[in-house]
Amino acid sequence: MRHRCKVDHLGRPADQRKALIRTLATSLFTHDEITTTLVRAKALKKHADRIVTLAKRGDVHAIRQVKNLIYHSRTGEMLTDEKNREVPETVLRRIFSKVGPRFENRKGGYTRVIQMPPRRGDAAPMALIQLTYELAE
């Protein structure tokens, strides 16, 4: 029996489960929304909300904690630094420069899970998970 077990097992061993969540979180913060199965989206929601909370804090310790929760990959965009050099934008840099400030006035509910029609191949329940942003006033 699995009474009071708070880990979403996702049918995988712990190391594979951690890698799956890190990959999903990296994709979510790269693209702002992803389509995945409903169970994976619900498991990702907990981790994504924690990452946004750390991004709102923005100190060095929070950066190190987020670095352990996502893969440090490039987003495909280029930024310019203070010396007008082009620097590739990474997911970690994007979280702390764009995502954190956009949720500054929000106290929770950073992600939204929307159910979609089942997948055609195996009829798995699908969901769209996306970051919810404040509307500009």
Side-chain angles (χ1 to χ4, degrees):
M1 287 183 274
R2 293 190 55 244
H3 299 301
R4 299 182 65 166
C5 292
K6 296 187 178 185
V7 176
D8 294 318
H9 288 282
L10 302 175
R12 297 170 187 273
D15 58 338
Q16 293 176 17
R17 185 169 54 244
K18 182 179 175 185
L20 175 68
I21 293 294
R22 285 181 75 180
T23 303
L24 289 172
T26 304
S27 297
L28 177 65
F29 288 109
T30 302
H31 304 292
D32 287 341
E33 67 179 23
I34 56 172
T35 303
T36 184
T37 62
L38 183 61
V39 177
R40 288 179 184 175
K42 287 180 179 179
L44 174 61
K45 183 176 174 64
K46 299 171 193 171
H47 294 278
D49 287 347
R50 179 165 181 235
I51 290 170
V52 173
T53 304
L54 290 169
K56 283 172 53 176
R57 215 172 68 199
D59 56 353
V60 177
H61 185 55
I63 293 171
R64 289 177 179 157
Q65 286 178 312
V66 171
K67 192 173 179 181
N68 290 329
L69 296 174
I70 62 165
Y71 288 117
H72 191 62
S73 62
R74 296 180 177 180
T75 61
E77 297 179 21
M78 297 298 282
L79 301 173
T80 56
D81 62 357
E82 59 274 354
K83 296 180 181 177
N84 289 331
R85 293 180 296 191
E86 286 199 348
V87 184
E89 182 184 46
T90 61
V91 179
L92 188 65
R93 196 174 280 148
R94 185 174 197 275
I95 288 172
F96 283 93
S97 66
K98 294 181 181 174
V99 176
R102 289 185 76 172
F103 287 113
E104 189 175 330
N105 298 324
R106 194 176 180 112
K107 293 188 177 182
Y110 308 117
T111 55
R112 155 189 323 142
V113 176
I114 302 168
Q115 291 190 12
M116 297 178 64
R119 189 162 49 198
R120 183 181 168 103
D122 59 354
M126 299 297 288
L128 175 74
I129 182 167
Q130 55 187 198
L131 297 173
T132 59
Y133 287 118
E134 289 290 323
L135 297 174
E137 296 178 8

